[in-house]
Amino acid sequence: MPGRLSILIAEDSAADRMLLSTIVNRQGHRVLTASNGLEAVALFEQERPALVLMDALMPVMDGFESARRIKDLSGETLVPIIFLTSLTESEALARCLEVGDDFLAKPYNPIILEAKIRAMDRLRRLQGTVLRQRDLIAKHNEHLMTEQRVAKAVFDKVAHSGCLNAPNIRYLQSPFALFNGDLLLAAFKPSGGMHVLLGDFTGHGLPAAIGAMPLADVFYGMTAKGFSMAEILREMNAKLKRILPVGVFCCTTLLNLSSQRRVVEVWNGGLPDGYLIHGSDGTRVPLVSRHLPLGVLEPDAFDDAYEVHALEPGDRIFLFSDGVLETSAADGQLFGDGRLQAVFDALHPVEQLFDQIQLALSAFRGAAQDDVSMIEVSLLEEELYSRPPLAFSDSGLNSPLDWSAEFEFRAQTLRRFNPLPFLLQLLLEVQGLRGQGGALYSVLAEMYSNALEHGVLGLDSSLKRDAESFAQYYRERRQRLAELEQGYVRFHLQLQPEAGGGRLRVRVEDSGNGFDVARALSTERAAGSLSGRGLQMIRQLSSHCEWAADGRGVSVEFCWSAQA
């Protein structure tokens, strides 16, 4: 039995109105009556009854117009209207159902009337439940969206806290959902150049973006501390393997651009082929995926081997996520690698390729199937862009001022350990050196590289004559380092305070045979050569430098004033 309802009866016949009122009253409901459609509308607006029994044919305003106005007044709330009619034509009865919710034929059957009131009351209550649940869902959804907007603001600040706005970078990102499963990261290295990462997590939206925060944290933190690309890759893989569920991983391409050496190191794990386009002749070098994505392999099985390519100003590197090739047209065709190659084959000037690829995607695109990301990176001379100063978490007021130390790294350590971040972290505890942090990183990196490659490994820098021999040089370096059984690199560090500042002396020695210092310093670097840049850079960035007579060591000094 339904609860007591307030029911409006609109009937122009006084007899029928009294009959219906008696029946409805006996069923336990409160009755309101009107003699025409206009009275019914006014009474409904005043009393807001739960249900209306409406005569179809009435003076002043008929039941159909009255029903329309009552529906407008009730808004989203369902107020069932049962038409009372003696009409028998199919079209007239259909009109009753079109404007109202049901009809009851005259003469009135109390049992049928009670059943219809019960049915309409159930429908009314169901509608009320649906509206309440809708409002509750909307409230929860708004709460969720607010949380996601806050999370995305934090995510964007963490993920985009690097140097994507550098003048040598152009990128396109089109997320499939609020959170982007694709990740673009770029950060300047303390020693010059930059690391650039394009990642594509499994799926899209928030689940795909969850791994981006720890990955970005590792990328930015280790890059700022001077770790190598291989070390960063290993740490990112280990962290993602540890925290991501099975089946979730990150297809990744990582670039290490060195402005001083004019090289790019490339590691591609699971992303579509990228391309290095040489600006001089337009030749295209594919950057092929040769590894599994990050987060798939256990740390001891992970392969951090990368390719090395010579790079000159005007060259362009293009990286793409799967979403570019999987962009779908209205007929379901995919953009695919063939259309991408057609853009490259059209022989556009290299500086126009990014725009041409974007135009081709826009002209083809129907609906995105995934997050879409594309990035173009070029090599700029170091002086064309400025790196932000290194950030430190402490004030430096308690920095050490007077000390010396010596470290010797032998073959087993040299094969698998990069001592530079360890040494640089120690040296940058000195407040006076922090203003020269970038120069210090660059000089120590070049000194260590020379000692390891030319001293311990015996590699000849003149091998780097062109792009092909350059790549061969680095393949030989990896092989010799893997087979290294003896040798050492020593660092002698001496810090001493002076009036108005201080001085750092660094001497690096190696176990090699040495080189002809006078000849190396007097020989100008051949035009177009890919070697011979390091010695000039060390002299330019340090306060003083001096090579050992036997060519097996080099000493540099960095000075600072108390105001630095």
Side-chain angles (χ1 to χ4, degrees), residues 52-66:
V52 178
L53 301 177
M54 178 79 71
D55 188 11
L57 304 176
M58 291 184 293
V60 183
M61 180 185 291
D62 67 19
F64 299 116
E65 178 61 25
S66 178

Side-chain angles (χ1 to χ4, degrees), residues 372-448:
V372 174
S373 296
M374 175 175 69
I375 187 168
E376 174 199 270
V377 185
S378 59
L379 179 69
L380 291 182
E381 296 292 351
E382 189 76 9
E383 61 270 14
L384 296 183
Y385 58 89
S386 59
R387 286 170 288 161
L390 301 179
F392 300 92
S393 59
D394 66 316
S395 65
L397 297 179
N398 296 321
S399 63
L401 297 175
D402 188 3
W403 56 270
S404 63
E406 180 176 319
F407 299 92
E408 179 175 294
F409 301 99
R410 293 181 282 273
Q412 187 173 354
T413 298
L414 294 174
R415 287 203 306 266
R416 64 189 66 197
F417 177 69
N418 175 15
L420 289 179
F422 165 72
L423 296 174
L424 291 164
Q425 184 175 1
L426 174 63
L427 291 174
L428 291 180
E429 289 291 320
V430 181
Q431 185 182 23
L433 287 172
R434 292 180 176 182
Q436 305 179 70
L440 185 60
Y441 267 73
S442 298
V443 170
L444 285 185
E446 188 62 36
M447 293 168 69
Y448 176 67

Side-chain angles (χ1 to χ4, degrees), residues 5-27:
L5 302 177
S6 176
I7 298 178
L8 170 61
I9 298 173
E11 170 64 69
D12 64 325
S13 168
D16 286 347
R17 194 163 59 245
M18 182 175 295
L19 175 61
L20 279 171
S21 297
T22 301
I23 295 173
V24 173
N25 265 318
R26 287 177 178 175
Q27 292 175 356

